[in-house]
Amino acid sequence: MLERRRMWRLSRRTLWQAIPTVVGILVLNFLLLRLIPGDAVDVLAGESGGASAETLLQWRSHFGLDLSLMEQLQRYLGQLAHLDLGMSPRFNLPVSHLVLDRLPNTLLLMVGALGLALAIGIAAGTIMATWVGRWPDRVLSLAVLLLYSTPGFWIGLMAVLLFSVKLGWLPSNGFQTLGLDLHGPAWLLDRLQHAVLPVLALATFYIALYARLTRAAMLEVQRQDYVRTARAKGLAPWRVVSRHVLRNALLPVSTLAGLHFAALLGGAAVTETLFGWPGLGRLTLEAVMSRDYNLLLGILLLSSMLVVVINITVDLLQAWLDPRIQAD
């Protein structure tokens, strides 16, 4: 019961701190985007080969771009109060429809890449710290250094050449096989096959990062008195590592993973473009190129909400890993 109350206080504190942060981000993003020269009407007019001044005025009036800056902000906040993200001038569709349609694809990449990076990185870091100074540590340190210094998009291109062009094992583009009406397990397997290469390209840098961080954290924890006491009691080495060393070493790893979840959205833009994956990152690039402010604001709002959820999750995870963490 006390543990549940502590967890509830931690999540409530994080949530209350996040609300003004999200509101501030919304207002700041709105104002900064309006400083960019041009708007969606200019882009649409250019793509259509030109438009008269009257037509431009009608388009701007239709999308509310003829209002003053404060009137546009007031209108936008009023729409948000009714859970309305507005219309996309570029796609002529509700922003909520566009964002929610692409969200599952991006979450698949982000969760898959972060999960793969954590699993392999923590495992590699544990091996490196356990056999520090010996050949497993040296071999893995070299591999980690190569992954850390190699751009993810280059690894993605090489993976396409190897697994798609040469071996023909995995698809190189898209998120599903065109022309096939798949359902159930076959549909899921097809999606996973298309996601393997993008997830791998997105995860390589973070695998190296978590491996190095886990190794350094475990070496630091191994010097603590309670670890020496556990060994003096005659506990099995694997039990000392798993229960006393690794658990405490995961605190900085979990903190960094929470920060990287939001950063993965930026990396996903390059990966999604490279592999033709229809996700939020690719949609963000399209919105930037077309000056679609409503769509950009919707994506930024969703990103902010994801960060809030991840921060709450990380706080709860750290409280579980270290019972000394208390809610103020």
Side-chain angles (χ1 to χ4, degrees):
M1 182 62 69
L2 292 177
E3 183 70 14
R4 289 183 179 179
R5 289 180 179 177
R6 186 170 68 94
M7 293 293 187
W8 167 246
R9 287 197 301 268
L10 282 169
S11 58
R12 185 177 58 184
R13 182 195 64 184
T14 305
L15 184 60
W16 280 113
Q17 291 174 349
I19 291 176
T21 302
V22 172
V23 174
I25 290 174
L26 282 175
V27 175
L28 184 61
N29 286 334
F30 184 91
L31 297 177
L32 289 177
L33 288 177
R34 290 307 188 273
L35 296 177
I36 301 176
D39 53 29
V41 172
D42 293 330
V43 176
L44 292 175
E47 292 179 348
S48 62
S52 64
E54 294 181 355
T55 302
L56 293 178
L57 288 176
Q58 290 177 357
W59 285 354
R60 287 195 169 91
S61 176
H62 175 70
F63 295 118
L65 298 175
D66 59 335
L67 302 175
S68 66
L69 182 61
M70 296 310 299
E71 288 176 336
Q72 291 184 44
L73 177 58
Q74 183 179 2
R75 178 181 179 181
Y76 178 69
L77 294 178
Q79 289 176 339
L80 284 182
H82 294 85
L83 303 180
D84 181 12
L85 298 180
M87 293 289 294
S88 166
R90 173 67 177 177
F91 298 95
N92 197 27
L93 290 171
V95 171
S96 57
H97 173 78
L98 292 169
V99 171
L100 294 178
D101 184 57
R102 301 285 188 98
L103 178 61
N105 297 331
T106 295
L107 285 180
L108 176 60
L109 287 190
M110 294 173 66
V111 174
L114 191 61
L116 181 66
L118 286 171
I120 299 179
I122 292 174
T126 302
I127 295 173
M128 293 161 64
T130 304
W131 283 278
V132 61
R134 288 180 277 182
W135 70 266
D137 180 33
R138 295 174 182 175
V139 172
L140 288 176
S141 294
L142 178 60
V144 164
L145 179 61
L146 291 175
L147 288 179
Y148 187 82
S149 58
T150 305
F153 71 88
W154 187 87
I155 293 179
L157 289 174
M158 295 301 102
V160 168
L161 288 177
L162 176 61
F163 295 106
S164 298
V165 178
K166 295 293 184 181
L167 301 177
W169 290 353
L170 297 170
S172 62
N173 194 271
F175 73 110
Q176 63 182 3
T177 303
L178 299 178
L180 295 180
D181 187 18
L182 302 176
H183 301 280
W187 174 86
L188 180 60
L189 180 61
D190 182 67
R191 284 292 181 93
L192 293 178
Q193 287 178 339
H194 282 81
V196 169
L197 293 183
V199 166
L200 182 63
L202 196 58
T204 49
F205 172 79
Y206 298 100
I207 290 175
L209 200 61
Y210 296 144
R212 296 294 299 177
L213 182 60
T214 302
R215 179 184 184 274
M218 288 186 64
L219 292 178
E220 180 66 26
V221 172
Q222 285 177 359
R223 302 188 185 100
Q224 302 300 316
D225 293 337
Y226 61 85
V227 175
R228 288 195 290 266
T229 302
R231 288 171 176 165
K233 288 181 177 180
L235 292 179
W238 66 269
R239 192 173 183 85
V240 174
V241 171
S242 62
R243 187 167 184 177
H244 296 280
V245 178
L246 181 59
R247 178 168 179 170
N248 290 281
L250 288 180
L251 286 172
V253 176
S254 62
T255 302
L256 203 59
L259 297 175
H260 286 159
F261 189 85
L264 279 171
L265 184 60
V270 178
T271 304
E272 289 173 2
T273 303
L274 176 63
F275 290 96
W277 187 270
L280 285 179
R282 191 176 174 187
L283 185 64
T284 302
L285 290 179
E286 295 174 1
V288 170
M289 297 302 295
S290 60
R291 302 292 195 275
D292 195 335
Y293 299 141
N294 284 346
L295 183 54
L296 276 174
L297 288 171
I299 295 173
L300 292 173
L301 173 62
L302 180 64
S303 302
S304 302
M305 299 303 296
L306 285 176
V307 171
V308 170
V309 173
I310 293 302
N311 283 340
I312 294 176
T313 304
V314 170
D315 284 347
L316 295 178
L317 177 61
Q318 290 190 338
W320 176 75
L321 291 172
D322 189 354
R324 294 172 298 179
I325 297 177
Q326 299 291 334
D328 296 330

